[in-house]
Amino acid sequence: INKKKNVGNVGRKKGATVRDVNSWRWIKATAKHFKTEGKLFVPNCTELVKTSHGRDRAPQNADWYYIRCAAVLRAIYLRPGEGTGGLAKRFGIKKNRGSRPEITTRASRGLLHWCCRSLEGLKLLTKGKEAGRVLTKEGRKKVDTLAFNVLVRRGGKKVAKK
C-alpha cells in the first residue's frame, strides 16, 4: 500500500491568477474592495444612465459602477489591448424590440471609457502602445492578490467547516 506522506505545500504553486478563480466571486470581491477603499472615481451620472441603449432602465443595484469597473479590469486582464469598442461588444445584450426579433446591441462606450479612466486613476490600467488599454505592473499584482484572496476565501463570507 502506497501511502502519501503529508509534505505540506512542496511542489504546489502558492499564488493564484484571475483564471484560477470563479469569475463572479472575483468580480464581487474586487467591487467590494473598490468600494471600501474609496479611491475609485465614480461619475455623478451613475444613478441616471443606462448601460446600453438596449436596456429598458438604469441598473437597480446601487454598486453597479464598482461591479462594472471590476468586470472591465478582468476583461482587460484576460485580453490586454482591448479598447472601449471591444469592451462594448463584450458587455452587449439582446435588445427587446417588441414583436420584432431580438438583435444584439453593444453596451455604452462612454461608460466603459469612464470605467477605464477611473481604473487609470488608481494606476491599475494604462493606454497600450498600439491601441486599447493594458494592465500596469501594480495592476497585475493587485488583481492576482485579490484572486488569491478569493481562492482561499479571505475577506468574504466565512465558510462554515463541518
Side-chain angles (χ1 to χ4, degrees):
I1 299 172
N2 285 342
K3 282 196 170 183
K4 261 189 166 178
K5 288 185 180 179
N6 188 7
V7 288
N9 220 8
V10 177
R12 295 194 196 127
K13 71 176 189 179
K14 292 191 171 125
T17 65
V18 171
R19 293 176 195 273
D20 301 331
V21 296
N22 180 297
S23 59
W24 177 234
R25 280 186 45 212
W26 184 87
I27 287 170
K28 279 194 302 187
T30 308
K32 184 180 172 189
H33 173 76
F34 285 154
K35 190 172 183 183
T36 54
E37 198 177 35
K39 294 180 183 172
L40 188 78
F41 171 76
V42 180
N44 53 7
C45 63
T46 51
E47 60 270 355
L48 304 170
V49 75
K50 298 195 298 182
T51 54
S52 166
H53 71 87
R55 297 267 182 211
D56 290 337
R57 285 177 237 102
Q60 301 295 308
N61 187 346
D63 300 334
W64 73 268
Y65 189 76
Y66 298 104
I67 293 169
R68 180 57 57 102
C69 282
V72 164
L73 188 62
R74 182 178 183 275
I76 292 172
Y77 180 96
L78 296 174
R79 291 191 63 184
E82 194 164 34
T84 52
L87 290 169
K89 193 187 288 185
R90 183 189 184 105
F91 290 107
I93 58 155
K94 296 271 186 162
K95 182 174 184 175
N96 181 5
R97 304 192 308 158
S99 59
R100 292 177 296 172
E102 294 176 334
I103 55 168
T104 306
T105 60
R106 293 183 177 203
S108 170
R109 290 195 313 257
L111 278 176
L112 295 167
H113 167 78
W114 279 108
C115 286
C116 290
R117 290 282 297 271
S118 299
L119 293 168
E120 281 175 15
L122 293 177
K123 306 272 191 285
L124 299 176
L125 292 184
T126 185
K127 288 192 176 181
K129 286 182 181 171
E130 279 106 47
R133 303 289 206 289
V134 291
L135 263 78
T136 61
K137 197 173 181 181
E138 301 90 59
R140 189 164 293 277
K141 191 175 174 183
K142 188 169 225 174
V143 164
D144 288 337
T145 304
L146 286 163
F148 180 72
N149 289 343
V150 168
L151 191 69
V152 298
R153 295 180 183 262
R154 250 189 237 149
K157 294 176 192 165
K158 299 291 181 200
V159 178
K161 291 184 180 177
K162 291 182 182 177

